Amino acid sequence: MLWIHPILQALVTIGAFYVFYLGLQRFRSAHLGHRVPFNWKRHVVMGRWVIIGWLLGLAVGKMAVNAEMGMMGIFADHNQGAMVMTPLMLIAYVSGTYMDRRKARRTALPLVHAANNVLLLGVALYQVYTGWPIVENFLLN
Ligand code: HEM
Ligand code: HEM
């Protein structure tokens, strides 16, 4: 039970870097004038799965800590990282879905989406950094 969360979140985080790589191609063609193709459909499908996966993983982590220790929010820095990620995940999903449903030439919203998601990836890396000591101390011991 305790292993589900770290393994799931690690896999999803790797997937997020692929989604970011796809998004970067859009950034290059839209803002830098580079002639590169953007796999729109794959970015949207995988982007959705990444957000859903992280949210599911968050719930599994909370439930695992509650089942094992009888309360939640024990791992303060890791828990706070998740609380910062939550609104960023919602912004990523809502802005992405909006741009997918109503296709148009835009500058500001894709940039907001990109900046939000770079921040999101940064906090996900912070989760790796704060989550690994929990694995070492509680799962491997
Ligand atoms: C970890 C998740 C995600 C990352 C890292 C990410 C990253 C990016 C980046 C860097 C761009 C280029 C923005 C620009 O040109 O300035 C982009 C564009 C886009 N993203 Fe995402 N994204 C994510 C999730 C999503 C999701 C969940 C959706 C849809 C449900 C989505 C839909 C789109 C669309 C439609 C565009 C093109 C917007 C346009 O140029 O009009 N993205 N994304
Ligand atoms: C990718 C590397 C990550 C690792 C190695 C990791 C590791 C862990 C571990 C070992 C636990 C204890 C419970 C359990 O084992 O199931 C935990 C709890 C938790 N994790 Fe992660 N995690 C990672 C990423 C994430 C991400 C991306 C999020 C948020 C989206 C997150 C949110 C949480 C939350 C909310 C808890 C419960 C904390 C508490 O109530 O004290 N984790 N994590």
Side-chain angles (χ1 to χ4, degrees), residues 16 19-20 23-24 26-28 30-31 38 40 43-44 47-48 50-51 54 92-93 95-97 99-100 104 106-107 110-111 113-114 117-118 120-121:
V19 172
F20 178 59
L24 267 188
R26 179 63 173 180
F27 184 88
R28 289 175 62 199
H31 309 289
F38 171 52
W40 184 294
H43 177 80
V44 168
R48 281 216 172 95
V50 161
I51 303 296
W54 268 336
Y93 198 98
S95 61
T97 299
M99 293 188 292
D100 183 47
R106 300 189 171 90
T107 311
L111 284 175
H113 177 83
N117 294 347
V118 167
L120 186 55
L121 281 181

Side-chain angles (χ1 to χ4, degrees), residues 14-77:
I14 292 168
F17 275 91
Y18 179 60
V19 172
F20 178 59
Y21 165 79
L22 295 176
L24 267 188
Q25 308 315 308
R26 179 63 173 180
F27 184 88
R28 289 175 62 199
S29 63
H31 309 289
L32 306 178
H34 296 175
R35 285 178 165 271
V36 283
F38 171 52
N39 197 330
W40 184 294
K41 207 164 168 216
R42 188 181 292 172
H43 177 80
V44 168
V45 171
M46 286 208 55
R48 281 216 172 95
W49 276 113
V50 161
I51 303 296
I52 292 166
W54 268 336
L55 284 170
L56 269 178
L58 190 159
V60 171
K62 280 260 163 216
M63 288 190 297
V65 169
N66 193 36
E68 208 68 23
M69 294 163 184
M71 60 188 285
M72 292 188 258
I74 294 168
F75 304 106
D77 46 1

Side-chain angles (χ1 to χ4, degrees), residues 14 68 78-79 84 105 112:
I14 292 168
E68 208 68 23
H78 193 70
N79 195 44
V84 174
R105 279 194 165 273
V112 169

